[in-house]
Amino acid sequence: MDVRNCRRCGKLYLYDGIPICPQCRKEEEEDFKKVKEYLYEHPGATLPEVSNATGVSPEKILRFLKEERLEIVGESNIILECERCGKAIKTGRLCDECKREVGTRFLSYLDDKKLRESMKKNEEYAKRKEGGYRYLSKDFKENEEK
């Protein structure tokens, strides 16, 4: 059982993989629903317009954008930048190019790690095979009968 403090309100709660308690999560979802409904009725609204109309802070709306729950429409974006290269983006934390590069590097790292582990196992097997004794899975009674 893992009990933690909520990052938002500080109350203790039973941790379930999300760093905020169920009550704060519910409030977050209500705020997201307000923003979503406002944007549905007012497509292309600006951040200050959405914040003023819904009462949801600009910081929280930006977090929704970074979590890829919202997306900026149109070509003018001065709000979000790729955290790696600085290019203007419409949602998330990274531009498409950086996502691909980071993903490729991560997969390459995993492949290298697997290759190193496989080579290590092969070396260990070769060392065991070089000399000494090894176990043969034969039943002792089987040998007595012969």
Side-chain angles (χ1 to χ4, degrees):
M1 188 158 87
D2 191 6
V3 178
R4 296 190 185 183
N5 291 83
C6 174
R7 283 191 189 170
R8 188 168 166 221
C9 71
K11 291 190 305 187
L12 286 174
Y13 73 104
L14 191 58
Y15 181 70
D16 59 356
I18 300 173
I20 60 174
C21 70
Q23 179 60 38
C24 287
R25 228 177 294 164
K26 182 179 177 186
E27 292 169 13
E28 290 274 314
E29 287 307 308
E30 288 171 4
D31 285 346
F32 178 73
K33 186 177 178 182
K34 286 180 199 174
V35 171
K36 179 181 162 186
E37 288 173 357
Y38 183 82
L39 288 172
Y40 183 77
E41 294 171 9
H42 304 88
T46 65
L47 180 67
E49 289 171 352
V50 176
S51 180
N52 289 334
T54 62
V56 178
S57 72
E59 294 79 19
K60 190 178 283 190
I61 296 170
L62 280 172
R63 190 164 30 89
F64 293 150
L65 283 163
K66 288 182 178 184
E67 291 171 351
E68 297 186 1
R69 298 179 77 188
L70 296 175
E71 182 179 44
I72 298 169
V73 294
E75 295 304 315
S76 61
N77 172 22
I78 56 171
I79 296 174
L80 279 183
E81 293 179 346
C82 174
E83 293 179 2
R84 191 163 178 262
C85 72
K87 179 180 174 183
I89 56 176
K90 296 177 180 275
T91 189
R93 296 181 172 274
L94 301 172
C95 67
D96 291 339
E97 293 83 18
C98 288
K99 279 182 191 177
R100 273 193 298 279
E101 189 173 327
V102 168
T104 301
R105 283 187 178 186
F106 182 69
L107 290 175
S108 173
Y109 167 77
L110 289 179
D111 288 344
D112 288 348
K113 187 176 177 185
K114 286 179 187 176
L115 178 63
R116 285 192 301 273
E117 288 173 359
S118 177
M119 288 172 59
K120 185 178 177 183
K121 285 179 184 177
N122 287 341
E123 288 171 7
E124 289 171 0
Y125 178 74
K127 284 179 185 176
R128 283 195 313 256
K129 213 173 164 188
E130 286 175 1
Y133 297 97
R134 67 179 176 177
Y135 174 75
L136 297 175
S137 60
K138 292 186 178 181
D139 191 13
F140 181 71
K141 289 182 182 183
E142 193 178 285
N143 291 334
E144 285 182 354
E145 293 174 5
K146 290 182 182 177

